[in-house]
Amino acid sequence: MKEFDDLLQEASVKFANQEDMLTESSKLLENQRNLNIAIGVVAIVITLLLIWAFSNYRRQRRYAIENDKQAKVLEFQGLQLKEKNTELNDSINCAKRIQDVMLPSTALLDASVAESFVYYEPKDIVAGDFYWIQKWQDSVYFAAADCTGHGVPGAMMTVVCHNAMNRAFRELGGVSPATLLDQTRKYVLEQLHSSGDDVKDGMDIALCEWNSLNNTMSFAGAHNPLWLFTKRDVSGELKEGVRIDTVGDFTLLEIKADKQPIGHFDDFVPFKNHSIKLEEGDLIYIFSDGFADQFGGKRGKKLKTKLFKELLAMSAKGDMKEQEEFISEYFINWRGDIEQIDDVVVIGVKV
């Protein structure tokens, strides 16, 4: 009986050991299964990451290829623009050389009067403003003209208007400024309407004739006036179309222009001619509107006509060349960093 109990106990121990072994095996199997699941998840994640990385690589490569193509296209377009810009600048510079040749030498005016200056400051390389000087016997004609527009369009108009003035002067000779403007207008309209289009362009101008023999100034203008600065009594000159004011140490006599352009105008009438006797020391100014219309100063406002008059009166104490330097420097400082808005031409003459 004792032997049986011993055998039974031994069998129970073996069974318990086997049960422990089974439990251990089950744990190992469970751990292995969990490990396999973890490995599977990691494998899936790695696979997805590889797929994403490959897809991203292909996308980035495609973008890089497209960007490279775009860069080459932009580079090609940039070269084309640079070439076109060079051609355009060359053409404009050629036009400037032609326009410079068209403008007369200021020496002709210097030789005809005591002192003079021509301040000419185009907004762009070429200009819609121009000055004109011609000699006829004892008279010198000079004008400050402002054509429609500036830059290339304005420069094209200067050719039309300048040629019309030269043609009228060649044909008529030493006539009054008013007659010369009437004939110039006729030729400008012929040229502008030759294409059949209804062109409204034209020019504003102040045209003077100074006769050295009798010391008389004749004037006619399209929108642009003449200013006479003097220290003598000119009250006897007060009449229709004339305004007298005081500016600094000077009396300012302003001869107004006709309110019509050299060009198409529905209610056109022949230009009026004005004459005035000059005396030694009198100062004559004609100009376009570019100087007075320039924005600048501390508040970015227009310079305006009033200040322009004061600047001329203030700087008239020196000679005319010094005055030109003064108004040039003032104009540059006035506009500062603000873009020049229009062409500028100012002619000053001292008798």
Side-chain angles (χ1 to χ4, degrees), residues 162-174:
H162 189 274
N163 288 343
M165 289 193 71
N166 283 341
R167 180 183 172 187
F169 188 77
R170 284 195 305 268
E171 293 180 0
L172 301 180

Side-chain angles (χ1 to χ4, degrees), residues 223-350:
H223 287 303
N224 293 347
L226 174 147
W227 290 348
L228 165 64
F229 283 73
T230 185
K231 292 188 176 181
R232 59 189 173 88
D233 182 16
V234 289
S235 57
E237 301 290 344
L238 187 60
K239 49 193 171 184
E240 184 182 358
V242 176
R243 176 186 175 187
I244 296 178
D245 200 357
T246 301
V247 182
D249 297 332
F250 291 90
T251 297
L252 169 61
L253 185 146
E254 178 179 357
I255 302 178
K256 297 180 180 180
D258 292 294
K259 294 183 178 180
Q260 57 187 18
I262 302 295
H264 176 79
F265 190 72
D266 291 334
D267 300 319
F268 173 77
V269 295
F271 285 96
K272 297 182 183 66
N273 202 72
H274 305 267
S275 294
I276 184 172
K277 192 77 173 178
L278 300 181
E279 293 187 9
E280 185 177 351
D282 286 349
L283 302 166
I284 300 293
Y285 300 98
I286 55 175
F287 42 85
S288 65
D289 58 4
F291 197 102
D293 284 349
Q294 179 61 45
F295 290 93
K298 295 181 179 179
R299 296 182 294 175
K301 301 293 185 179
K302 274 189 179 182
L303 188 141
K304 294 187 178 180
T305 302
K306 182 176 183 296
L307 178 55
F308 186 26
K309 293 176 180 177
E310 292 172 354
L311 292 174
L312 292 175
M314 184 190 314
S315 58
K317 297 175 182 178
D319 62 37
M320 299 302 278
K321 297 302 180 183
E322 291 174 340
Q323 187 175 49
E324 178 188 3
E325 293 175 2
F326 174 84
I327 65 172
S328 172
E329 183 177 349
Y330 193 95
F331 183 78
I332 294 171
N333 292 334
W334 171 264
R335 70 180 183 85
D337 296 331
I338 297 177
E339 181 182 4
Q340 184 174 333
I341 65 168
D342 201 357
D343 304 315
V344 174
V345 59
V346 181
I347 300 178
V349 167
K350 186 175 184 179

Side-chain angles (χ1 to χ4, degrees), residues 14-66:
K14 288 182 178 180
F15 181 79
N17 289 336
Q18 290 178 352
E19 187 177 6
D20 290 340
M21 291 178 64
L22 287 172
T23 302
E24 187 67 25
S25 296
S26 296
K27 290 181 179 180
L28 289 174
L29 288 172
E30 180 69 22
N31 291 337
Q32 186 64 44
R33 185 168 59 252
N34 292 337
L35 180 60
N36 289 339
I37 292 172
I39 291 173
V41 171
V42 170
I44 291 172
V45 171
I46 291 175
T47 301
L48 292 175
L49 287 173
L50 289 174
I51 292 172
W52 175 84
F54 182 70
S55 175
N56 187 60
Y57 167 76
R58 292 186 62 186
R59 185 168 58 253
Q60 292 295 332
R61 181 173 174 78
R62 185 168 62 252
Y63 288 161
I65 293 173
E66 291 176 356

